């Protein structure tokens, strides 16, 4: 499968919203109960643009395969060099190197824009995301146990980080 990674544009927001909502409704990767609407995702997109943070899209012949972005890890000037990543690919595109390509572009962007550290906060269980980040050089820094709640059960959050 050939694909390309590019900057997202307004026309990509519905596909981003659809994948985001799929993960809210069907996985433990986004700890929300209610899906987002177009206004919310558009505001998220505009905020990323205003802050100079990328929203990247993977596509094959115009077919949406996934997206990735990063944003502030925590508020406060002291955290300015640290960002937290998000990467999601469609089910039909998993296992084809798309998430890795999105992450590689994301890390390049972060480094080129003066970021020093990237953090991955991974809701467990998520073996695929843990393996992806480990292959990219992220190191496990700890697991916060039982800090989330979804599907009637407590959820753990693994933190991984990579120096850029």
């Amino acid at each position: 499968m050939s694909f390309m990674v590019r900057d997202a544009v307004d026309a990509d927001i519905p596909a981003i919203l659809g994948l985001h909502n799929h993960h809210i409704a069907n996985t433990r990767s986004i700890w929300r109960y209610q899906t987002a609407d177009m206004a919310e995702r558009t505001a998220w997109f505009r905020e990323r643009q205003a802050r100079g943070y990328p929203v990247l899209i993977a596509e094959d012949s115009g077919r949406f395969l996934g997206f990735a972005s990063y944003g502030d890890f925590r508020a406060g000037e002291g955290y300015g060099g640290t960002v937290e990543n998000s990467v999601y690919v469609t089910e039909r595109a998993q296992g084809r190197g798309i998430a890795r390509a999105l992450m590689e572009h994301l890390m390049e962007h972060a480094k080129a824009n003066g970021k020093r550290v990237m953090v991955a906060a991974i809701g467990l269980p998520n073996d695929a995301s843990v393996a992806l980040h480990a292959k990219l050089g992220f190191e496990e820094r700890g697991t916060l146990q039982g800090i989330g709640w979804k599907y009637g059960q407590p959820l753990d959050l693994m933190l991984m980080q990579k120096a850029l």
Side-chain angles (χ1 to χ4, degrees):
M1 169 187 250
S2 65
F3 63 91
M4 65 176 286
V5 174
R6 63 169 174 79
D7 290 325
V9 296
D10 286 356
D12 297 312
I13 298 172
I16 292 168
L17 174 65
L19 186 55
H20 178 77
N21 282 343
H22 168 80
H23 280 276
I24 290 171
N26 299 292
T27 75
R28 291 179 175 90
S29 60
I30 300 175
W31 295 359
R32 291 179 52 163
Y33 303 140
Q34 300 299 317
T35 55
D37 62 21
M38 190 65 168
E40 180 183 323
R41 249 327 68 171
T42 300
W44 168 85
F45 185 68
R46 296 280 179 263
E47 180 194 3
R48 296 289 161 120
Q49 288 178 317
R51 297 187 57 83
Y53 292 162
V55 178
L56 304 175
I57 295 297
E59 69 177 6
D60 181 14
S61 301
R63 192 170 175 198
F64 175 82
L65 302 172
F67 75 96
S69 187
Y70 65 72
D72 294 334
F73 172 63
R74 295 189 71 178
E77 294 85 1
Y79 293 104
T82 303
V83 291
E84 181 178 343
N85 76 71
S86 297
V87 59
Y88 298 95
V89 297
T90 62
E91 287 182 14
R92 69 180 177 277
Q94 291 177 0
R96 298 180 177 161
I98 294 161
R100 181 183 184 100
L102 284 164
M103 283 296 301
E104 288 171 345
H105 281 80
L106 210 59
M107 291 184 298
E108 288 172 17
H109 184 282
K111 187 174 182 178
N113 284 278
K115 304 305 178 185
R116 296 182 310 278
V117 177
M118 186 171 282
V119 173
I122 303 169
L124 300 178
N126 191 336
D127 295 342
S129 187
V130 172
L132 168 69
H133 285 87
K135 286 178 189 173
L136 291 168
F138 284 72
E139 296 177 344
E140 183 179 347
R141 293 298 182 221
T143 299
L144 304 173
Q145 297 180 343
I147 67 162
W149 190 267
K150 193 169 179 180
Y151 303 127
Q153 58 187 304
L155 301 174
D156 298 342
L157 185 72
M158 177 187 285
L159 296 176
M160 299 180 81
Q161 79 174 59
K162 178 181 173 77
L164 301 171

